[in-house]
DNA sequence: GTCTATACACAGATAGAC
DNA sequence: GTCTATCTGTGTATAGAC
């Protein structure tokens, strides 16, 4: 539900978990401080012993989600070889796996980002830009090597990124039948279809 | 901003427009009755002369958005010929054009659907299922004719649908440089890449 | 750190005059 | 249809005891 990169324990962790679940289900403004506190098993005033405000609790979740996601992308790319196909597959797999593994965190990080002030949202926007840049770099390299062919880079990047984000919304209901590695392979196939040179196969 | 299929005028129309703008920007729970009334130039009590509740105003927008979208898909498919390529292009173009033309309505219809009660959301869910079915029918037919090849139909459908939905989020900022018909063509190309038989081109 | 108690603003919705 | 005025519940956040 929350990545192991999170260093929090006791009440603070329960508050983050409760906030995550409730924000994902009802949205930030649809969730009250009292809702979160009750779900965490404390009184509402206790929340302010751990977070300065409701917004700060959300900000922590949003930034954590973006950090975990970006870290996974970088790791995957580092583990991949130099082949553009492999690199794209690695990136898309990490992207999809991240959304399938932490669907609530991904939902909150994406959908409730707009509820943060500009200052609180800034770190997340930086990480988003870096993640998109990673994908653009891999595809651009494939294009220069002649193995990829892309008509509109911006639209292609958005398409690949968005495909993966949607996983957070529908995968949890399919988790019993569909393994994450199968899911990642399917999306890797789709992403390759989107960028590969049309008539390269002899 | 709102489709011409909407039959509303005067204060009622202004309330719908104000609700649409505010829900799109701040979300349903982030918008108050007073916000909407003020933006429409009336007092908050006046809203209840036109809608039974805040939720009913949202429901009207959500259903309208889904109706307009589905109608455009059906129209586009009816105008297309019998060629699977043309049919898919027509469907994806209508899908993308709908999101690029009414980005706020699409955003509210998608993002705030979850804020409606099950009863109020039901009509929208029916229309969503019908729209996905339309896409599945076209692609399934192409597969049976041997011009399309799809590994995982569910994932492919989701991918194509989601690609288009994201347009509502980013197209408004690009509207000055990127014409809608160019956008639709690009997404039609991408959708075809996702489903076409890999090595059909001689 | 967590509690009880509470301040104070604002939410959705209604009553009744015009 | 629209207004003014208001009811009542709930919102975020704080004060101060334990």
């Amino acid at each position: 539900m929350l990545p192991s990169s999170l260093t929090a324990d006791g009440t603070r962790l329960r508050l983050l978990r409760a906030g995550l679940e409730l924000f994902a289900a009802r949205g930030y403004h649809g969730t009250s401080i009292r809702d979160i506190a009750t779900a965490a098993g404390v009184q509402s005033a206790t929340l302010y012993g751990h977070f300065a405000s409701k917004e700060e609790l959300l900000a922590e979740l949003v930034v954590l989600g973006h950090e975990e996601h970006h870290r996974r992308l970088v790791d995957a790319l580092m583990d991949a070889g130099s082949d553009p196909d492999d690199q794209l597959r690695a990136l898309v797999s990490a992207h999809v796996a991240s959304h399938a593994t932490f669907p609530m965190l991904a939902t909150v990080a994406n959908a409730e980002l707009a509820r943060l002030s500009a200052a609180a949202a800034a770190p997340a926007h930086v990480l988003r830009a870096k993640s998109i840049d990673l994908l653009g770099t891999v595809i651009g390299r494939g294009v220069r090597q002649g193995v990829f062919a892309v008509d509109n880079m911006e639209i292609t990047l958005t398409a690949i990124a968005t495909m993966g984000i949607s996983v957070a919304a529908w995968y949890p209901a399919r988790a019993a039948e569909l393994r994450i590695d199968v899911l990642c392979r399917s999306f890797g196939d789709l992403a390759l279809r989107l960028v590969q040179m049309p008539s390269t196969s002899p």
Side-chain angles (χ1 to χ4, degrees), chain A residues 117-163:
Chain A
S117 67
H125 281 119
V126 169
L127 287 166
R128 287 171 93 86
K130 286 172 77 169
S131 295
I132 285 283
D133 188 59
L134 228 48
L135 185 60
T137 300
V138 166
I139 296 178
R141 185 165 163 277
V143 169
R144 280 193 303 281
Q145 291 191 10
V147 293
F148 292 166
V150 169
D151 292 321
N152 186 318
M153 180 64 91
E154 188 190 13
I155 290 180
T156 303
L157 290 177
T158 308
I160 293 176
T162 312
M163 274 172 14

Side-chain angles (χ1 to χ4, degrees), chain A residues 2 19-20 23-24 28 57-70 98-99 102-116 120-121 123-125 127-128 165 168:
Chain A
L2 278 168
L20 176 57
F23 290 159
Y28 176 69
L57 198 166
L58 172 64
E60 191 141 327
L61 290 170
V62 168
V63 171
L64 173 69
H66 279 87
E67 281 173 347
E68 175 73 14
H69 175 257
H70 183 258
S98 177
H99 285 77
F102 305 110
M104 286 193 296
L105 188 59
T107 298
V108 170
N110 283 310
E112 309 302 331
L113 174 59
R115 260 82 247 178
L116 291 178
H125 281 119
L127 287 166
R128 287 171 93 86
I165 290 172

